[in-house]
């Protein structure tokens, strides 16, 4: 079975909307400012974007606030083709711990992470429906440590469940990750050395 090129799938959607002369509304789940940097630079040419910061997996309130603050700063300082709105959800870590109950001993990048993907993407899909967005997606695939295939499979399933299109993506393609590192240096963004949860933090100590 041929592997899907999610970057090309996204480019098809962009091209179709350009032919229609349409600038769709996109709700973009963001995990941190560094991961958002390249994605916003790239997608702001083609979408009206609202950034959605919802990450109950993050280990502490101070870490959550720090990442949210850096995201707000980057959006304010980075010149983008269109204005970007930012939605910051309140910090409710119990939502993460309830979701991964029984999976605490799973290795990183396994089933616990997949359930975390689903938690954050499902909240994004629900918010996209309420806000009347044309698409939803996430910046998570820009990271070499994230499973783009799993992210897109979850996104596609949620798109069917909630009847809101998922924007396929693999943002690490076309040097997306490398560009995110460059932008992080340029804007002196806080780059954490763990995904966010206490499990990933422990692994990187």
């Amino acid at each position: 079975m041929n592997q899907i090129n999610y970057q090309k799938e996204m480019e098809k959607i962009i091209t179709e909307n350009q032919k229609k002369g349409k600038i769709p509304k996109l709700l973009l789940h963001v995990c941190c400012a560094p991961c958002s940097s390249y994605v916003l630079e790239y997608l702001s040419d083609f979408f009206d974007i609202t950034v959605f910061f919802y990450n109950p997996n993050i280990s502490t309130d101070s870490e959550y606030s720090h990442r949210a603050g850096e995201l707000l700063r980057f959006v304010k300082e980075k010149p983008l083709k269109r204005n970007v709105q930012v939605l910051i959800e309140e910090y409710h870590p119990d939502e993460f711990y309830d979701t991964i109950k029984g999976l605490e001993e799973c290795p990183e990048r396994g089933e616990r992470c997949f359930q975390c993907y689903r938690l954050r993407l499902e909240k994004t899909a629900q918010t996209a429906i309420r806000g009347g967005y044309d698409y939803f997606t996430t910046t998570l695939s820009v990271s070499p440590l994230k499973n783009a295939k799993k992210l897109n499979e979850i996104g596609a399933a949620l798109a069917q469940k909630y009847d809101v299109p998922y924007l396929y993506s693999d943002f690490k393609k076309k040097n997306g990750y490398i560009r995110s590192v460059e932008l992080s240096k340029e804007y002196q963004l806080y780059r954490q050395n763990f995904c966010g949860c206490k499990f990933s933090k422990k692994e990187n100590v």
Side-chain angles (χ1 to χ4, degrees):
M1 187 174 183
N2 292 333
Q3 188 172 349
I4 297 172
N5 186 319
Y6 294 108
Q7 172 67 26
K8 287 187 176 179
E9 292 300 311
M10 178 176 62
E11 289 171 358
K12 287 178 187 176
I13 292 170
I14 289 171
T15 299
E16 288 170 5
N17 283 312
Q18 285 181 315
K19 287 178 180 178
K20 297 174 185 175
K22 182 179 180 182
I23 305 296
K25 289 175 59 181
L26 171 67
L27 186 65
L28 176 66
H29 168 264
V30 167
C31 55
C32 61
C35 286
S36 77
S37 59
Y38 160 73
V39 178
L40 286 172
E41 182 181 69
Y42 175 45
L43 292 184
S44 64
D45 281 351
F46 311 111
F47 295 90
D48 280 330
I49 300 173
T50 297
V51 164
F52 184 52
F53 186 81
Y54 170 71
N55 302 286
N57 57 305
I58 290 177
S59 58
T60 64
D61 180 73
S62 60
E63 179 75 15
Y64 196 87
S65 298
H66 192 179
R67 294 194 194 192
E70 285 291 270
L71 174 62
L72 287 165
R73 179 173 70 82
F74 177 74
V75 169
K76 182 179 180 181
E77 293 180 3
K78 170 67 175 170
L80 297 166
K81 186 163 184 178
R82 293 180 177 81
N83 288 332
V84 172
Q85 305 300 314
V86 181
L87 292 176
I88 306 291
E89 280 287 296
E90 291 183 4
Y91 179 56
H92 294 297
D94 287 349
E95 294 175 2
F96 169 67
Y97 292 114
D98 289 346
T99 295
I100 58 93
K101 191 173 182 179
L103 300 171
E104 292 87 352
E105 301 304 317
C106 285
E108 279 294 286
R109 298 186 284 280
E111 186 59 33
R112 183 182 64 239
C113 293
F114 299 159
Q115 290 303 315
C116 184
Y117 295 172
R118 179 175 294 277
L119 170 66
R120 290 184 280 174
L121 279 169
E122 185 150 24
K123 183 77 167 184
T124 308
Q126 292 167 343
T127 305
I129 282 288
R130 290 196 298 272
Y133 291 89
D134 298 300
Y135 297 92
F136 74 102
T137 197
T138 178
T139 61
L140 286 168
S141 69
V142 79
S143 169
L145 300 178
K146 297 294 185 291
N147 187 322
K149 182 175 184 289
K150 197 69 177 180
L151 284 164
N152 282 282
E153 287 174 352
I154 292 169
L158 292 170
Q160 280 197 320
K161 179 177 179 179
Y162 292 101
D163 195 27
V164 57
Y166 179 76
L167 183 67
Y168 291 106
S169 63
D170 190 354
F171 292 116
K172 70 179 71 65
K173 298 286 188 181
K174 293 193 170 182
N175 293 321
Y177 175 71
I178 293 171
R179 179 59 178 155
S180 75
V181 173
E182 292 172 350
L183 286 166
S184 295
K185 289 179 180 177
E186 181 181 345
Y187 287 88
Q188 299 182 312
L189 297 175
Y190 163 61
R191 285 185 67 86
Q192 63 284 344
N193 64 350
F194 66 106
C195 174
C197 71
K198 68 178 185 180
F199 308 102
S200 62
K201 186 175 184 179
K202 182 179 179 181
E203 188 171 278
N204 284 279
V205 168

